[in-house]
Coordinates of all heavy atoms in Angstrom, one line a residue:
M1 N 0.8 -1.2 0.0 CA 0.0 0.0 0.0 C 0.9 1.3 0.0 O 0.6 2.2 -0.7 CB -0.9 0.0 1.2 CG -1.9 1.1 1.3 SD -3.1 0.8 0.0 CE -4.2 2.2 0.3
G2 N 1.9 1.2 0.8 CA 2.8 2.4 0.9 C 3.5 2.7 -0.5 O 3.7 3.8 -0.9
A3 N 3.8 1.6 -1.2 CA 4.5 1.8 -2.5 C 3.5 2.4 -3.5 O 3.9 3.2 -4.3 CB 5.0 0.4 -3.0
L4 N 2.2 2.0 -3.4 CA 1.2 2.6 -4.3 C 1.1 4.1 -4.0 O 1.0 4.9 -5.0 CB -0.1 1.9 -4.1 CG -1.3 2.3 -5.0 CD1 -0.9 2.0 -6.4 CD2 -2.5 1.6 -4.6
I5 N 1.0 4.5 -2.8 CA 0.9 5.9 -2.4 C 2.1 6.7 -2.9 O 2.0 7.8 -3.5 CB 0.6 6.1 -0.9 CG1 -0.7 5.5 -0.5 CG2 0.7 7.5 -0.5 CD1 -1.0 5.4 0.9
T6 N 3.3 6.1 -2.7 CA 4.5 6.8 -3.1 C 4.6 6.9 -4.6 O 5.0 7.9 -5.1 CB 5.8 5.9 -2.6 OG1 5.7 5.8 -1.2 CG2 7.1 6.6 -3.0
W7 N 4.2 5.9 -5.3 CA 4.1 5.9 -6.8 C 3.2 7.0 -7.3 O 3.5 7.8 -8.2 CB 3.8 4.6 -7.3 CG 3.6 4.6 -8.8 CD1 4.5 4.6 -9.8 CD2 2.3 4.7 -9.5 NE1 3.9 4.7 -11.0 CE2 2.6 4.7 -10.9 CE3 1.0 4.7 -9.1 CZ2 1.6 4.8 -11.8 CZ3 0.0 4.8 -10.0 CH2 0.3 4.8 -11.4
F8 N 2.0 7.1 -6.7 CA 1.0 8.0 -7.1 C 1.4 9.5 -6.8 O 1.3 10.4 -7.7 CB -0.4 7.8 -6.5 CG -1.4 8.7 -6.9 CD1 -2.0 8.6 -8.2 CD2 -1.9 9.7 -6.1 CE1 -2.9 9.5 -8.6 CE2 -2.8 10.6 -6.5 CZ -3.4 10.5 -7.8
T9 N 1.9 9.7 -5.6 CA 2.3 11.1 -5.3 C 3.6 11.5 -6.0 O 3.8 12.8 -6.1 CB 2.5 11.2 -3.7 OG1 3.5 10.3 -3.3 CG2 1.3 11.0 -3.0
G10 N 4.3 10.6 -6.5 CA 5.5 11.0 -7.3 C 5.3 11.1 -8.8 O 6.2 11.4 -9.5
S11 N 4.1 10.7 -9.2 CA 3.8 10.7 -10.6 C 3.6 12.1 -11.2 O 3.3 13.1 -10.4 CB 2.6 9.9 -10.9 OG 1.4 10.5 -10.4
R12 N 3.7 12.3 -12.5 CA 3.5 13.6 -13.1 C 2.0 14.0 -13.0 O 1.7 15.2 -12.9 CB 3.9 13.5 -14.6 CG 5.4 13.5 -14.8 CD 5.7 13.5 -16.3 NE 7.1 13.4 -16.5 CZ 7.8 14.4 -17.0 NH1 7.2 15.4 -17.5 NH2 9.1 14.2 -17.2
F13 N 1.2 13.0 -13.1 CA -0.3 13.3 -13.0 C -0.6 13.9 -11.6 O -1.3 14.9 -11.5 CB -1.1 12.0 -13.2 CG -2.5 12.2 -12.9 CD1 -3.3 12.9 -13.8 CD2 -3.1 11.7 -11.8 CE1 -4.7 13.0 -13.6 CE2 -4.5 11.9 -11.5 CZ -5.3 12.6 -12.5
A14 N -0.1 13.4 -10.5 CA -0.3 13.9 -9.2 C 0.3 15.3 -9.0 O -0.3 16.2 -8.4 CB 0.3 12.9 -8.2
L15 N 1.5 15.5 -9.6 CA 2.1 16.8 -9.5 C 1.2 17.9 -10.3 O 1.1 19.0 -9.8 CB 3.5 16.8 -10.1 CG 4.5 16.0 -9.2 CD1 5.8 15.9 -9.9 CD2 4.7 16.6 -7.9
T16 N 0.7 17.5 -11.4 CA -0.1 18.4 -12.2 C -1.4 18.7 -11.5 O -1.8 19.9 -11.4 CB -0.4 17.8 -13.6 OG1 0.8 17.5 -14.3 CG2 -1.2 18.7 -14.5
V17 N -2.0 17.7 -10.9 CA -3.3 17.9 -10.2 C -3.0 18.8 -9.0 O -3.8 19.7 -8.7 CB -3.9 16.5 -9.8 CG1 -5.0 16.7 -8.8 CG2 -4.4 15.8 -11.0
G18 N -1.9 18.5 -8.3 CA -1.6 19.3 -7.1 C -1.3 20.8 -7.5 O -1.7 21.7 -6.8
K19 N -0.7 21.0 -8.6 CA -0.4 22.3 -9.0 C -1.7 23.1 -9.3 O -1.8 24.2 -8.9 CB 0.5 22.3 -10.3 CG 0.8 23.7 -10.9 CD 1.7 23.6 -12.1 CE 0.9 23.0 -13.2 NZ 1.7 23.1 -14.5
W20 N -2.5 22.5 -10.1 CA -3.8 23.1 -10.4 C -4.7 23.3 -9.2 O -5.4 24.3 -9.1 CB -4.5 22.4 -11.6 CG -3.8 22.6 -12.9 CD1 -3.1 21.7 -13.6 CD2 -3.8 23.8 -13.6 NE1 -2.6 22.3 -14.7 CE2 -3.0 23.6 -14.8 CE3 -4.3 25.1 -13.4 CZ2 -2.7 24.6 -15.7 CZ3 -4.0 26.1 -14.4 CH2 -3.3 25.8 -15.5
A21 N -4.7 22.4 -8.3 CA -5.5 22.5 -7.1 C -4.9 23.7 -6.3 O -5.7 24.5 -5.7 CB -5.4 21.2 -6.3
A22 N -3.6 23.9 -6.2 CA -3.0 25.0 -5.5 C -3.4 26.3 -6.1 O -3.7 27.3 -5.4 CB -1.5 24.8 -5.4
I23 N -3.4 26.3 -7.4 CA -3.7 27.6 -8.2 C -5.2 27.9 -7.9 O -5.6 29.1 -7.7 CB -3.4 27.4 -9.7 CG1 -1.9 27.4 -9.9 CG2 -4.1 28.5 -10.5 CD1 -1.5 27.0 -11.3
A24 N -6.1 26.9 -8.0 CA -7.5 27.1 -7.8 C -7.8 27.6 -6.4 O -8.6 28.5 -6.1 CB -8.3 25.9 -8.1
L25 N -7.1 27.0 -5.4 CA -7.2 27.4 -4.0 C -6.8 28.9 -3.8 O -7.4 29.7 -3.1 CB -6.5 26.5 -3.1 CG -6.5 26.8 -1.6 CD1 -8.0 26.7 -1.1 CD2 -5.6 25.9 -0.8
T26 N -5.6 29.2 -4.4 CA -5.1 30.6 -4.3 C -6.1 31.6 -4.9 O -6.4 32.7 -4.3 CB -3.8 30.7 -5.0 OG1 -2.9 29.7 -4.5 CG2 -3.2 32.1 -4.9
I27 N -6.6 31.3 -6.1 CA -7.6 32.2 -6.7 C -8.9 32.4 -5.9 O -9.4 33.5 -5.7 CB -7.9 31.8 -8.1 CG1 -6.7 32.0 -9.0 CG2 -9.1 32.5 -8.7 CD1 -6.8 31.3 -10.4
T28 N -9.3 31.3 -5.3 CA -10.5 31.3 -4.5 C -10.3 32.1 -3.2 O -11.2 33.0 -2.9 CB -11.0 29.9 -4.1 OG1 -11.2 29.1 -5.3 CG2 -12.2 29.9 -3.3
L29 N -9.2 31.9 -2.6 CA -8.9 32.7 -1.4 C -8.8 34.2 -1.7 O -9.2 35.0 -0.9 CB -7.7 32.2 -0.7 CG -7.9 30.8 0.0 CD1 -6.5 30.3 0.5 CD2 -8.9 30.8 1.1
F30 N -8.2 34.5 -2.8 CA -8.0 35.9 -3.2 C -9.3 36.6 -3.5 O -9.6 37.7 -3.0 CB -7.1 36.0 -4.5 CG -7.0 37.4 -5.0 CD1 -6.2 38.3 -4.4 CD2 -7.6 37.7 -6.2 CE1 -6.1 39.6 -4.9 CE2 -7.5 39.0 -6.7 CZ -6.7 39.9 -6.0
L31 N -10.2 35.9 -4.2 CA -11.6 36.4 -4.4 C -12.4 36.6 -3.2 O -13.1 37.6 -3.0 CB -12.3 35.5 -5.5 CG -11.7 35.5 -6.9 CD1 -12.5 34.6 -7.7 CD2 -11.8 36.9 -7.5
L32 N -12.3 35.6 -2.2 CA -13.0 35.8 -1.0 C -12.4 37.0 -0.2 O -13.1 37.7 0.5 CB -12.8 34.5 -0.2 CG -13.7 33.3 -0.7 CD1 -13.3 32.1 0.1 CD2 -15.2 33.6 -0.6
S33 N -11.1 37.2 -0.3 CA -10.5 38.3 0.4 C -11.0 39.6 -0.2 O -11.3 40.6 0.6 CB -9.0 38.2 0.3 OG -8.4 39.4 0.8
L34 N -11.1 39.7 -1.5 CA -11.6 40.9 -2.1 C -13.1 41.2 -1.7 O -13.4 42.3 -1.4 CB -11.6 40.8 -3.7 CG -10.3 41.0 -4.3 CD1 -10.4 40.8 -5.8 CD2 -9.7 42.4 -4.1
R35 N -13.8 40.1 -1.6 CA -15.2 40.3 -1.2 C -15.3 40.8 0.2 O -16.1 41.7 0.5 CB -16.0 38.9 -1.3 CG -17.4 39.0 -0.9 CD -18.0 37.6 -1.1 NE -19.4 37.7 -0.5 CZ -19.9 36.7 0.2 NH1 -19.2 35.6 0.4 NH2 -21.1 36.8 0.7
R36 N -14.5 40.3 1.1 CA -14.5 40.7 2.5 C -14.1 42.1 2.6 O -14.7 42.9 3.4 CB -13.6 39.7 3.3 CG -13.5 40.1 4.7 CD -14.8 39.8 5.5 NE -14.6 40.1 6.9 CZ -15.6 40.4 7.7 NH1 -16.8 40.5 7.2 NH2 -15.4 40.7 8.9
S37 N -13.0 42.5 1.9 CA -12.6 43.9 2.0 C -13.6 44.8 1.4 O -13.8 46.0 1.9 CB -11.2 44.1 1.4 OG -11.3 43.9 0.0
G38 N -14.3 44.4 0.4 CA -15.4 45.2 -0.2 C -16.5 45.4 0.8 O -17.1 46.5 0.9
E39 N -16.8 44.4 1.6 CA -17.9 44.5 2.6 C -17.5 45.5 3.7 O -18.3 46.3 4.1 CB -18.2 43.2 3.2 CG -18.9 42.2 2.3 CD -19.0 40.8 2.9 OE1 -18.5 40.6 4.0 OE2 -19.7 40.0 2.3
R40 N -16.2 45.4 4.1 CA -15.7 46.4 5.1 C -15.7 47.8 4.6 O -16.1 48.7 5.4 CB -14.3 46.0 5.5 CG -14.3 44.9 6.6 CD -12.9 44.7 7.2 NE -12.3 43.5 6.6 CZ -11.1 43.3 6.2 NH1 -10.3 44.3 6.2 NH2 -10.7 42.2 5.7
V41 N -15.3 48.0 3.4 CA -15.3 49.4 2.8 C -16.8 49.9 2.7 O -17.0 51.1 3.1 CB -14.7 49.4 1.4 CG1 -14.9 50.7 0.7 CG2 -13.2 49.2 1.5
N42 N -17.7 49.0 2.4 CA -19.1 49.4 2.3 C -19.6 49.8 3.6 O -20.3 50.8 3.8 CB -19.9 48.3 1.7 CG -21.3 48.7 1.3 OD1 -21.6 49.9 1.2 ND2 -22.2 47.8 1.3
E43 N -19.3 49.0 4.7 CA -19.7 49.4 6.0 C -19.1 50.7 6.5 O -19.8 51.5 7.1 CB -19.4 48.2 7.0 CG -20.3 47.0 6.9 CD -21.7 47.3 7.3 OE1 -21.9 48.0 8.3 OE2 -22.6 46.9 6.5
H44 N -17.9 50.9 6.2 CA -17.2 52.1 6.6 C -17.9 53.3 5.9 O -18.1 54.4 6.5 CB -15.7 52.1 6.2 CG -15.0 53.3 6.6 ND1 -14.7 53.7 7.8 CD2 -14.5 54.3 5.8 CE1 -14.1 54.9 7.8 NE2 -13.9 55.3 6.6
L45 N -18.2 53.2 4.6 CA -18.8 54.3 3.9 C -20.2 54.6 4.5 O -20.6 55.7 4.6 CB -18.9 54.0 2.4 CG -17.6 54.0 1.6 CD1 -17.9 53.6 0.2 CD2 -17.0 55.4 1.7
K46 N -21.0 53.5 4.8 CA -22.3 53.7 5.4 C -22.2 54.5 6.7 O -22.9 55.5 7.0 CB -22.9 52.4 5.7 CG -23.6 51.7 4.6 CD -24.3 50.5 5.1 CE -24.7 49.6 4.0 NZ -25.2 48.3 4.5
L47 N -21.2 54.1 7.6 CA -21.0 54.8 8.9 C -20.6 56.2 8.7 O -21.1 57.1 9.4 CB -20.0 54.1 9.7 CG -20.5 52.7 10.3 CD1 -19.3 52.0 11.0 CD2 -21.7 52.8 11.1
T48 N -19.7 56.5 7.8 CA -19.3 57.9 7.6 C -20.5 58.7 7.0 O -20.6 59.9 7.3 CB -18.1 58.0 6.7 OG1 -18.3 57.4 5.4 CG2 -16.9 57.4 7.3
R49 N -21.3 58.2 6.1 CA -22.4 58.9 5.6 C -23.4 59.2 6.7 O -24.0 60.3 6.7 CB -23.1 58.0 4.5 CG -24.1 58.8 3.7 CD -24.7 57.9 2.6 NE -24.2 56.5 2.7 CZ -24.7 55.5 2.1 NH1 -25.7 55.7 1.3 NH2 -24.3 54.3 2.2
F50 N -23.6 58.3 7.6 CA -24.6 58.5 8.7 C -24.0 59.6 9.6 O -24.8 60.3 10.2 CB -24.9 57.2 9.4 CG -25.7 56.2 8.6 CD1 -25.6 54.9 8.8 CD2 -26.5 56.6 7.6 CE1 -26.3 54.0 8.1 CE2 -27.2 55.7 6.8 CZ -27.1 54.4 7.1
R51 N -22.7 59.6 9.8 CA -22.2 60.6 10.7 C -22.4 62.0 10.1 O -22.6 62.9 10.8 CB -20.7 60.3 11.0 CG -20.5 59.2 11.9 CD -19.0 59.0 12.3 NE -18.8 57.7 12.9 CZ -17.9 56.8 12.5 NH1 -17.2 57.1 11.4 NH2 -17.8 55.7 13.1
H52 N -22.3 62.1 8.8 CA -22.4 63.4 8.1 C -23.9 63.8 8.2 O -24.1 65.0 8.0 CB -21.9 63.3 6.7 CG -20.4 63.3 6.6 ND1 -19.6 64.2 7.1 CD2 -19.6 62.3 6.1 CE1 -18.3 63.9 6.8 NE2 -18.3 62.7 6.3
L53 N -24.8 62.9 8.3 CA -26.2 63.3 8.5 C -26.5 63.8 9.8 O -27.6 64.4 10.1 CB -27.1 62.1 8.1 CG -27.1 61.6 6.7 CD1 -28.0 60.4 6.6 CD2 -27.7 62.7 5.8
N54 N -25.6 63.7 10.8 CA -25.8 64.1 12.2 C -27.0 63.5 12.8 O -27.8 64.2 13.5 CB -25.8 65.7 12.3 CG -24.5 66.3 11.9 OD1 -23.5 65.7 12.2 ND2 -24.6 67.4 11.3
L55 N -27.2 62.3 12.6 CA -28.4 61.6 13.3 C -27.9 60.9 14.5 O -26.8 60.4 14.6 CB -28.9 60.5 12.3 CG -29.5 60.9 11.0 CD1 -29.9 59.7 10.2 CD2 -30.8 61.8 11.3
P56 N -28.7 60.9 15.5 CA -28.3 60.1 16.7 C -28.3 58.6 16.4 O -29.0 58.1 15.5 CB -29.4 60.4 17.7 CG -30.6 61.0 16.9 CD -30.0 61.5 15.7
P57 N -27.4 57.8 17.1 CA -27.3 56.4 16.8 C -28.5 55.6 16.6 O -28.6 54.8 15.7 CB -26.4 55.9 17.9 CG -25.6 57.1 18.3 CD -26.6 58.3 18.2
P58 N -29.6 55.8 17.4 CA -30.8 54.9 17.2 C -31.4 55.1 15.9 O -32.1 54.2 15.4 CB -31.7 55.3 18.4 CG -30.8 55.9 19.4 CD -29.7 56.5 18.7
L59 N -31.3 56.3 15.3 CA -31.9 56.6 14.0 C -31.1 56.1 12.8 O -31.6 56.1 11.7 CB -32.2 58.1 13.9 CG -33.2 58.7 14.8 CD1 -33.3 60.2 14.6 CD2 -34.5 58.0 14.7
W60 N -29.9 55.5 13.1 CA -29.1 55.0 12.0 C -29.8 53.9 11.2 O -29.6 53.7 10.0 CB -27.8 54.6 12.5 CG -26.8 55.7 12.8 CD1 -27.1 57.0 12.8 CD2 -25.5 55.5 13.1 NE1 -26.0 57.7 13.1 CE2 -24.9 56.8 13.4 CE3 -24.6 54.4 13.3 CZ2 -23.6 57.0 13.7 CZ3 -23.3 54.7 13.7 CH2 -22.8 55.9 13.9
R61 N -30.6 53.1 12.0 CA -31.2 52.0 11.3 C -32.3 52.5 10.3 O -32.5 51.8 9.3 CB -31.9 51.1 12.4 CG -30.8 50.3 13.1 CD -31.5 49.3 14.1 NE -30.7 49.4 15.3 CZ -31.1 49.9 16.4 NH1 -32.3 50.4 16.5 NH2 -30.3 50.0 17.5
K62 N -32.9 53.6 10.6 CA -33.9 54.1 9.7 C -33.3 55.1 8.6 O -34.0 55.5 7.7 CB -35.0 54.9 10.5 CG -35.7 54.0 11.5 CD -36.7 54.8 12.3 CE -37.3 53.9 13.3 NZ -38.3 54.7 14.2
A63 N -32.1 55.4 8.8 CA -31.4 56.4 7.9 C -31.4 56.0 6.4 O -31.6 56.9 5.6 CB -30.1 56.7 8.4
P64 N -31.1 54.8 6.1 CA -31.1 54.5 4.6 C -32.4 54.9 3.9 O -32.3 55.4 2.8 CB -30.8 53.0 4.5 CG -30.1 52.7 5.8 CD -30.7 53.6 6.8
S65 N -33.5 54.6 4.5 CA -34.7 55.0 3.8 C -34.9 56.5 3.7 O -35.4 57.1 2.8 CB -35.9 54.4 4.5 OG -36.0 54.8 5.8
R66 N -34.4 57.2 4.8 CA -34.5 58.6 4.8 C -33.5 59.3 3.9 O -33.7 60.3 3.3 CB -34.3 59.2 6.2 CG -35.5 58.8 7.1 CD -35.3 59.3 8.5 NE -36.4 58.9 9.3 CZ -36.5 59.2 10.6 NH1 -35.5 59.8 11.2 NH2 -37.5 58.8 11.3
A67 N -32.3 58.6 3.8 CA -31.2 59.2 3.0 C -31.6 59.1 1.5 O -31.1 59.9 0.7 CB -29.9 58.4 3.2
A68 N -32.4 58.2 1.1 CA -32.8 58.0 -0.3 C -33.6 59.2 -0.8 O -33.6 59.5 -1.9 CB -33.6 56.8 -0.5
F69 N -34.2 59.9 0.2 CA -35.0 61.1 -0.2 C -34.2 62.4 -0.2 O -34.7 63.4 -0.6 CB -36.2 61.3 0.7 CG -37.2 60.1 0.6 CD1 -37.3 59.2 1.7 CD2 -37.9 59.9 -0.5 CE1 -38.2 58.2 1.6 CE2 -38.8 58.8 -0.7 CZ -38.9 58.0 0.4
M70 N -33.0 62.4 0.3 CA -32.2 63.6 0.3 C -31.5 63.8 -1.0 O -31.2 63.0 -1.7 CB -31.2 63.5 1.5 CG -31.8 63.5 2.8 SD -30.6 63.4 4.1 CE -31.5 63.7 5.5

């Protein structure tokens, strides 16, 4: 069994599969990172917009519907 695993992991096929799996994982993690940073930027922009409206904190939840009319 050990010889079979050693043969498979040392084969060109396994190296190619491993390379493409690593590339796919890297791209996936990069896209998830972009999404997360975009969410953080969006939240920051919302908070700064609400601060400029000079609303007290409890009214921030209702502010998006009110901000649409401004």
Side-chain angles (χ1 to χ4, degrees):
M1 185 70 176
L4 182 64
I5 294 171
T6 304
W7 172 78
F8 180 73
T9 56
S11 68
R12 287 181 181 246
F13 174 73
L15 292 175
T16 304
V17 168
K19 176 180 71 172
W20 287 107
I23 290 171
L25 179 65
T26 302
I27 291 171
T28 302
L29 290 175
F30 176 72
L31 292 175
L32 288 173
S33 172
L34 281 178
R35 179 178 174 223
R36 178 72 178 151
S37 65
E39 288 173 355
R40 274 191 256 138
V41 168
N42 190 22
E43 284 296 317
H44 178 70
L45 288 176
K46 280 184 194 175
L47 289 176
T48 54
R49 188 175 12 165
F50 291 153
R51 285 187 194 125
H52 289 296
L53 290 174
N54 294 327
L55 295 174
L59 293 178
W60 283 8
R61 286 184 223 109
K62 298 178 183 177
S65 60
R66 292 181 181 176
F69 296 113
M70 291 182 174

